[in-house]
Amino acid sequence: MNEVASKVVVGLGDRSYDILIGPNLIEQAGKQIASRLPGIRTAIVTDENVAGAHLARLIDSLKAAGIASTAIALPAGEKTKSFDALQEVVDGVLAARLERGDAVIALGGGVIGDLSGFAAGIVRRGMNFVQVPTSLLAQVDSSVGGKTGINSARGKNLIGVFHQPKLVLADTSTLDTLSPREFRAGYAEVAKYGLIDRPDFFEWLEKNWQEVFSGGEARTEAIAQSCRAKAEIVARDEFENGDRALLNLGHTFGHALEAATRYDSTRLVHGEGVAIGMALAHRFSVRMNLASADDAERVETHLKAVGLPWRMGDIPGNLPDAEALLGYIQQDKKVARGTLTFILTRGIGKSFIAKDVPASEVLGFLKDNHPG
Ligand code: GLY
């Protein structure tokens, strides 16, 4: 059995939990869960693709530690973040007669983690929850910090609760089966932590990204650094009353582009939207005389080097015009009483929350950067 390569603690008092990061951790899941939650039974929520690759190993590992499990496999994809799927999970957990002290285990990417965390948060007013994220995006972002939920016809992630897991097991071996595009999209969130407040980490990524992409220790290190960065922010602002909003760097532009492309993953996936959004946030900061053009260029050069899109023109097909894009931004949930809130920057690793950003400036910027 492999040793756990890395541990990050999310410090939330008596709700603190460990994130364990390393290869083949699924084989240790039973042991790690049993030592923290002795005597429990579990429901594993997963999707049909992930089930084929990893479910049997997880069930075996739980069984070896004396933990009984029932599995609920749902269709893969964003459509699964729905009320119907939530009902299926809730019903499956109740049918298995799990109690509040038992655990829901999410085995999968962000969709499965968000959905099953929400189910765990509401069944019996809050059951134990364990995350076993299998995508890079889920390992460095969505499995950490307790945001759970589903989508509404009116927007993504609009229905949910904060419900922290008891343990996150990031098995880095699961990343070997991701498509290069999916891995790259998750990498955008890794780079984000450097750009928020860790300039040394961004510099390290500029030098070591190839090793991160090819696997091994550099990959584990990048995931651990990302989790550490997120854990620090979550520990000081669990419910996003302040600093946690920094994690939305690149997301305001990114969400607007995702909506503008109707969440068509053949054109744009979330991490790609974040990559373009981060590049735009830096360029917009230059326009607002906050950051230097050199810093914006550094961001663009790095995104280009790893093969991520970095400008709106990199999205295949036509985009709605600048006015329509601004409309999507104004619908974003970070609009407070009609003023626009953006995460802007004073340079690499110097991001900050900018309230009252004038819509006219954003519109002018979108017009100047629109590919059409
Ligand atoms: N993904 C942003 C957050 O967890 O706050």
Side-chain angles (χ1 to χ4, degrees):
M1 188 180 286
N2 283 299
E3 289 301 307
V4 169
S6 216
K7 176 168 112 171
V8 174
V9 178
V10 184
L12 292 168
D14 59 3
R15 290 176 300 115
S16 295
Y17 56 94
D18 294 339
I19 306 167
L20 305 180
I21 304 143
N24 301 314
L25 277 185
I26 287 181
E27 267 100 75
Q28 290 192 35
K31 190 182 92 177
Q32 298 291 352
I33 293 170
S35 70
R36 290 167 177 81
L37 302 166
I40 61 157
R41 294 185 303 133
T42 62
I44 304 166
V45 183
T46 190
D47 73 40
E48 284 153 5
N49 296 344
V50 173
H54 308 300
L55 180 59
R57 279 191 301 135
L58 179 57
I59 292 174
D60 287 351
S61 165
L62 294 171
K63 201 166 161 192
I67 301 175
S69 61
T70 188
I72 303 164
L74 301 158
E78 191 70 30
K79 286 204 169 67
T80 290
K81 273 175 75 167
S82 66
F83 270 117
D84 284 351
L86 178 69
Q87 193 168 352
E88 194 174 332
V89 174
V90 166
D91 197 53
V93 171
L94 292 173
R97 298 179 184 277
L98 296 194
E99 296 170 6
R100 187 189 280 173
D102 293 326
V104 174
I105 303 177
L107 173 69
V111 167
I112 289 297
D114 287 5
L115 168 76
S116 43
F118 187 21
I122 58 175
V123 174
R124 302 194 190 280
R125 299 197 175 81
M127 295 179 57
N128 287 322
F129 178 45
V130 173
Q131 287 264 22
V132 186
T134 58
S135 70
L136 181 58
L137 191 129
Q139 293 191 353
V140 299
D141 183 18
S142 57
S143 70
V144 176
K147 278 191 181 174
T148 76
I150 57 173
N151 299 330
S152 149
R154 296 180 189 280
K156 283 178 76 172
N157 297 324
L158 292 182
I159 305 152
V161 294
F162 284 95
H163 187 60
Q164 299 290 346
K166 297 285 185 211
L167 171 68
V168 180
L169 280 175
D171 181 339
T172 51
S173 310
T174 62
L175 306 180
D176 296 339
T177 53
L178 297 184
S179 70
R181 184 180 177 205
E182 198 181 351
F183 187 87
R184 267 200 303 272
Y187 179 85
E189 301 277 2
V190 174
K192 181 187 80 176
Y193 295 110
L195 296 174
I196 290 174
D197 59 0
R198 298 194 167 215
D200 295 349
F201 181 44
F202 187 73
E203 203 177 317
W204 183 86
L205 289 171
E206 287 176 309
K207 293 193 183 109
N208 295 288
W209 68 268
Q210 274 147 319
E211 283 73 28
V212 174
F213 274 64
S214 54
E217 271 175 36
R219 180 183 285 182
T220 302
E221 179 55 25
I223 296 169
Q225 280 283 0
S226 301
C227 291
R228 220 166 276 133
K230 180 154 185 185
E232 269 181 26
I233 290 177
V234 169
R236 60 175 194 262
D237 180 25
E238 182 179 4
F239 299 112
E240 200 168 319
N241 295 312
D243 270 10
R244 187 165 179 162
L246 289 169
L247 297 171
N248 293 324
L249 175 64
H251 284 60
T252 303
F253 286 119
H255 282 160
L257 294 170
E258 281 185 90
T261 51
R262 303 196 179 285
Y263 304 99
D264 175 354
S265 60
T266 62
R267 296 180 67 193
L268 191 73
V269 293
H270 176 70
E272 293 167 342
V274 170
I276 299 172
M278 290 192 301
L280 290 175
H282 280 74
R283 273 290 155 201
F284 186 58
S285 299
V286 175
R287 184 183 175 104
M288 301 291 280
N289 293 319
L290 294 163
S292 78
D294 285 354
D295 284 333
E297 205 173 312
R298 240 177 102 185
V299 175
E300 292 161 358
T301 302
H302 185 57
L303 297 174
K304 236 184 288 181
V306 307
L308 277 164
W310 57 280
R311 56 191 165 186
M312 289 191 274
D314 290 338
I315 302 171
N318 294 328
L319 283 176
D321 64 16
E323 278 84 2
L325 289 176
L326 180 66
Y328 285 116
I329 288 174
Q330 286 170 325
Q331 269 172 26
D332 196 74
K333 60 184 182 297
K334 285 174 288 301
V335 177
R337 295 190 189 89
T339 64
L340 296 173
T341 298
F342 273 83
I343 309 306
L344 298 182
T345 186
R346 297 192 175 87
I348 304 289
K350 293 183 190 157
S351 295
F352 66 99
I353 302 164
K355 298 196 168 139
D356 302 327
V357 174
S360 56
E361 285 291 343
V362 180
L363 183 60
F365 175 74
L366 288 169
K367 280 185 176 160
D368 290 350
N369 287 275
H370 200 282

